Each structure stands twice: as structure tokens, then as C-alpha cells.
Amino acid sequence: KASSPSEQLIVAINNGKYEDRSFLKLNDKATEDYDAKFDGYKLKNEEMNIYLLDKEQRNLVMHTLSEIPLDMNIQLGVEVMKPGEYEISFSNVESFSLSADLYLIDTFEEKSIPVSSKEGYKFKAYETSKAITGRFYLSRTPTLSTERKSTDWLQTYPNPVKDELIIVVPAGKTAQVILMDAKGNTVW
């Protein structure tokens, strides 16, 4: 639960020259839905963007929650306009009560870093002008969530793929599919 009305974690992306920020806040009166009193839509710039997605996939510069349960994942959206190396970092961690228990997860690299780490997370972007969603999220657990892990029962073929990819999901099972290229960009 939020211990004060103004707990705020700053989530930033930079390329060494420019930086963009979004804000994750905790407030006892906020909900998981969009709250006009607490949340704000992202106004995008021309260099790079980082934003938090709510459960309806709205791009938010400020996302306020009353709590972050252990099973909740907060998806990050990233957009870059030029190929290159970028870094996701966090600040104001000392005043954010959950920073010691929050992790940045990169589903493409299958890596996890604590938000409380002094070092940012560096990644390369090759394809630009497209939103990279589904790759990064914040979680209270340092491992990939089960819905994002590859599973033994899911079949895909052919490998390598030329024009068509076939995905077989057994009866009674469901799967959310996010198709990424080798560079980590969401293509479908």
C-alpha cells in the first residue's frame, strides 16, 4: 500500500544526449483503471519515448496505483527514432517504498535488474519509429512471468520462418502471442 500520498518512481530512457521520463506513483485513492485525478496520457516527442501502459493498454506518462500486488506486471512502452544504444534507468528510488522489491524485466534478453540498482539497463535498438511493447515490464518478482515464458506445449514451425509461421496451441490451452524480430522489436 502507499505509505504517503506522493510516492513516485521516475522511469527514464536516454541515449546519452536526450532523456525522456515517465512516473509510477502510489496513492491509496488510485485504482488500476485510468483515473483523471492521478494518471496522465503520454504526449510523445520526436526523439524517444518511454511510458507505462495500464490494463487497457493506454500510454501513460503518469500511472498511479494504490498498490502493486506480487502478481502484477506493469508494461513499459518504448519508442526510439534512431538506431543505437539506449538505457532505461530509475530515480527517486530512495523515496519509493517498493523500489527494493521491484524489477525491470526484459523478456527478449530474459534478464531482470532490480529497480534499486544504481546502474541503468542498456539495450540496443536497430529498428526505429515503432513502439517496442511487450519487451519490458516492471514486476515485484525477479523472474519472467509464466505467461511470458516459452512453454513446452506450444509448437511453432517452420524454423527458420520464411513467409508463414504456424503456431499450434493444444485444445484447452490459451496463449498470448507477441511476435518479435531478432532485434527485440514487436512485429505482431
Side-chain angles (χ1 to χ4, degrees):
K1 287 280 185 188
S3 59
S4 73
S6 61
E7 282 197 59
Q8 173 176 277
L9 178 69
I10 301 169
V11 183
I13 186 171
N14 77 72
N15 63 0
K17 186 176 180 182
Y18 299 105
E19 181 175 89
D20 187 53
R21 296 178 173 187
S22 284
F23 307 88
L24 177 61
K25 296 181 110 181
L26 293 177
N27 186 303
D28 288 332
K29 296 178 182 167
T31 68
E32 204 175 322
D33 295 320
Y34 178 82
D35 298 307
K37 186 175 179 180
F38 301 112
D39 299 323
Y41 287 103
K42 176 70 176 179
L43 298 176
K44 296 182 180 178
N45 66 66
E46 296 179 5
E47 281 297 321
M48 72 190 94
N49 295 284
I50 191 162
Y51 44 88
L52 304 153
L53 288 99
D54 69 2
K55 67 180 187 176
E56 299 298 323
Q57 300 295 296
R58 290 177 282 235
N59 303 346
L60 303 176
V61 68
M62 187 175 304
H63 189 22
T64 308
L65 300 166
S66 61
E67 64 181 339
I68 304 173
L70 287 173
D71 62 346
M72 176 185 269
N73 294 329
I74 303 166
Q75 191 174 355
L76 298 180
V78 171
E79 294 178 15
V80 297
M81 305 310 153
K82 296 178 184 169
E85 188 169 274
Y86 293 84
E87 180 179 51
I88 296 174
S89 60
F90 303 92
S91 57
N92 208 40
V93 295
E94 60 284 341
S95 65
F96 193 73
S97 64
L98 294 177
S99 63
D101 299 321
L102 202 58
Y103 299 87
L104 172 67
I105 309 293
D106 180 344
T107 60
F108 180 69
E109 294 289 337
E110 296 186 350
K111 292 184 180 175
S112 167
I113 65 154
V115 165
S116 59
S117 169
K118 298 287 184 203
E119 295 181 23
Y121 180 74
K122 293 184 179 176
F123 69 98
K124 288 191 179 183
Y126 300 94
E127 193 171 332
T128 59
S129 301
K130 289 174 101 175
I132 303 171
T133 56
R135 177 173 176 174
F136 300 107
Y137 65 92
L138 299 174
S139 176
R140 299 233 2 239
T141 56
T143 56
L144 293 174
S145 66
T146 34
E147 71 265 11
R148 296 192 191 273
K149 285 184 181 176
S150 59
T151 57
D152 294 335
W153 51 264
L154 185 69
Q155 296 177 12
T156 60
Y157 61 89
N159 187 9
V161 174
K162 186 175 180 182
D163 296 317
E164 182 178 45
L165 172 66
I166 298 169
I167 301 170
V168 179
V169 179
K173 298 271 189 185
T174 59
Q176 178 181 359
V177 176
I178 299 172
L179 187 59
M180 294 180 165
D181 65 16
K183 299 170 190 166
N185 298 306
T186 302
V187 294
W188 188 81

